[in-house]
Amino acid sequence: MKKNLVMAAAKGYSFYDLEPFLQSFKKNCTSADLVLFVDELSDFTTAKIKSCVENIQLVQIPAELKNYAIVNSRFVMYKNFLDTHTEYEKIFVTDIADVIFQADIFEKYSKQKNFLVYAAESITVGNDPGGFNQFWTKTFLGEEGFQKLKNKTVLCAGTILGSYTEMKNLFQKLLDSIFDKTSHGIDQVFYIYVIHNKLVPIKNLIKSDVETGEILTCSVLKDYQVADEKIKRGDGRSEERRVGK
């Protein structure tokens, strides 16, 4: 029987940075395995992680990737892991320090086949209040590339769910595009570019609900309310505010 898999990367964190993510995974994703690609974790943190979650595998980041920005090298590691682990049916890759699970992310899409779920923000590349997506797009795609994407919705490269083949194809397309492995933001730009231009053949491309859904990204949280034991986002964008710590 095929299994579900969550993958994330953790470099230089303490256990207490990771605890909200780990505890929420343990509570909500009982059908999934968890693989963390790790570097610069203390022995204490490593031991606490292993004692916190049973169905977890810690994989050291390879030496040849240590000088890469982890937001880029993670896609290399995700692709390589799936190349040798075909037992998984659905895969969720995620940021870790500011993300918590509020429900089983796999349950909602249990009947989906040949699909990819993308998290769309409530802003476009051209009207990002912080200016990061605009800056990154102009830096990596130039003014012409920015003009083509400025009215497109910002998509989060930090939370992606899909079926096995679709995720592998996405990772390969991103790796073909991310030519500068050390720059932050380049992963986001090319993910937005690839999805909006439909450069990966995906039968079912699904927009996720980032306001009240199973996944909460805390670092972009401002206005919120709690209902049915879940945190519901308001405008979805603002200053950093850590929830659940």
Side-chain angles (χ1 to χ4, degrees), residues 108-191:
K108 183 174 181 178
Y109 304 100
S110 60
K111 296 182 180 179
Q112 290 286 350
K113 303 290 184 182
N114 308 111
F115 75 104
L116 186 137
V117 179
Y118 64 94
E121 297 290 350
S122 56
I123 57 173
T124 64
V125 171
N127 73 358
D128 176 359
F132 293 108
N133 288 280
Q134 180 174 336
F135 172 76
W136 292 331
T137 303
K138 288 183 176 181
T139 299
F140 302 123
L141 296 180
E143 183 63 31
E144 182 178 353
F146 169 72
Q147 291 300 322
K148 292 180 179 179
L149 286 181
K150 69 177 183 179
N151 295 320
K152 299 294 186 181
T153 303
V154 170
L155 310 179
C156 178
T159 50
I160 311 170
L161 169 68
S163 44
Y164 179 87
T165 299
E166 282 65 32
M167 292 293 273
K168 276 191 59 175
N169 289 342
L170 173 65
F171 297 153
Q172 187 61 62
K173 180 60 71 172
L174 290 175
L175 294 177
D176 290 342
S177 303
I178 299 175
F179 53 88
D180 179 351
K181 302 292 194 306
T182 61
S183 294
H184 287 270
I186 198 169
D187 60 320
Q188 180 99 337
V189 170
F190 281 102
Y191 177 58

Side-chain angles (χ1 to χ4, degrees), residues 4-23:
N4 299 321
L5 173 67
V6 175
M7 291 191 287
K11 181 177 180 179
Y13 289 119
S14 74
F15 171 73
Y16 301 106
D17 292 325
L18 306 178
E19 188 177 17
F21 174 89
L22 295 171
Q23 293 289 2

Side-chain angles (χ1 to χ4, degrees), residues 168-221:
K168 276 191 59 175
N169 289 342
L170 173 65
F171 297 153
Q172 187 61 62
K173 180 60 71 172
L174 290 175
L175 294 177
D176 290 342
S177 303
I178 299 175
F179 53 88
D180 179 351
K181 302 292 194 306
T182 61
S183 294
H184 287 270
I186 198 169
D187 60 320
Q188 180 99 337
V189 170
F190 281 102
Y191 177 58
I192 292 171
Y193 181 84
V194 165
I195 296 300
H196 279 305
N197 287 285
K198 300 180 179 179
L199 298 183
V200 178
I202 299 170
K203 184 177 181 181
N204 299 301
L205 191 59
I206 304 168
K207 177 181 176 180
S208 70
D209 176 7
V210 298
E211 300 300 320
T212 61
E214 290 79 12
I215 299 300
L216 180 72
T217 302
C218 305
S219 64
V220 294
L221 194 66

